Amino acid sequence: MEISDGKIVLQGKVSKIERSKIPKVFIITIDCGDVKANIDLVKDLMIFKEGETVELTLSREKPQYQEGKDLVIWGYVMSKKKQLLKEPQPKIIHKLLVSLWGFLLVIESENEDLCNAFSIMDKVYLKIRTLGS
């Protein structure tokens, strides 16, 4: 995990792809160790399969990308939240919620720096690159 002011880079495994209640929309869970990302995506935009490793980049600047290979979407940081989990041991989970034109990206971590990298209403770019199995 790489976190700086205005940029987060995560690598993780697509651990679950499940149907949403919205037709043709799927909820993707990406496990990045101590960080978890959930994203809603239309089936036509999915460039990966369950079990594959992906790299997520969330940044204020438009990232370099390969046309036809990487998925790049932009949206706005809508909320930063804290959630107290009591089980199995007390801990605070920090959540960054990004609206990607109606789709939602939620990044969760115990690391508060994750939320501090952005401000509410920052325009951000999400790039997803498939790294393989």
Side-chain angles (χ1 to χ4, degrees), residues 34-53:
D34 59 342
V35 178
K36 185 173 94 174
N38 288 305
I39 183 169
D40 305 334
L41 272 183
V42 134
K43 182 180 179 181
D44 296 342
L45 295 178
M46 287 199 304
I47 59 168
F48 45 78
K49 296 180 179 116
E50 198 168 304
E52 286 189 309
T53 301

Side-chain angles (χ1 to χ4, degrees), residues 12-107:
K13 193 166 283 258
V14 178
S15 60
K16 187 178 359 174
I17 298 176
E18 57 188 337
R19 289 186 180 273
S20 169
K21 291 183 180 185
I22 302 167
K24 298 185 183 180
V25 174
F26 289 82
I27 302 168
I28 294 93
T29 302
I30 301 169
D31 184 2
C32 305
D34 59 342
V35 178
K36 185 173 94 174
N38 288 305
I39 183 169
D40 305 334
L41 272 183
V42 134
K43 182 180 179 181
D44 296 342
L45 295 178
M46 287 199 304
I47 59 168
F48 45 78
K49 296 180 179 116
E50 198 168 304
E52 286 189 309
T53 301
V54 295
E55 180 181 80
L56 299 175
T57 302
L58 188 65
S59 63
R60 285 192 196 115
E61 303 296 320
K62 187 174 184 178
Q64 291 185 342
Y65 64 95
Q66 289 183 297
E67 185 88 30
K69 182 173 178 168
D70 300 331
L71 172 64
V72 178
I73 311 169
W74 66 272
Y76 293 95
V77 175
M78 298 306 294
S79 180
K80 299 192 287 187
K81 297 183 177 189
K82 293 180 187 179
Q83 179 182 9
L84 175 62
L85 297 181
K86 296 180 181 179
E87 299 290 329
Q89 59 189 1
K91 62 182 173 181
I92 295 175
I93 300 296
H94 299 274
K95 295 183 180 189
L96 184 69
L97 285 78
V98 178
S99 173
L100 303 164
W101 291 96
F103 298 109
L104 187 64
L105 166 67
V106 180
I107 301 175

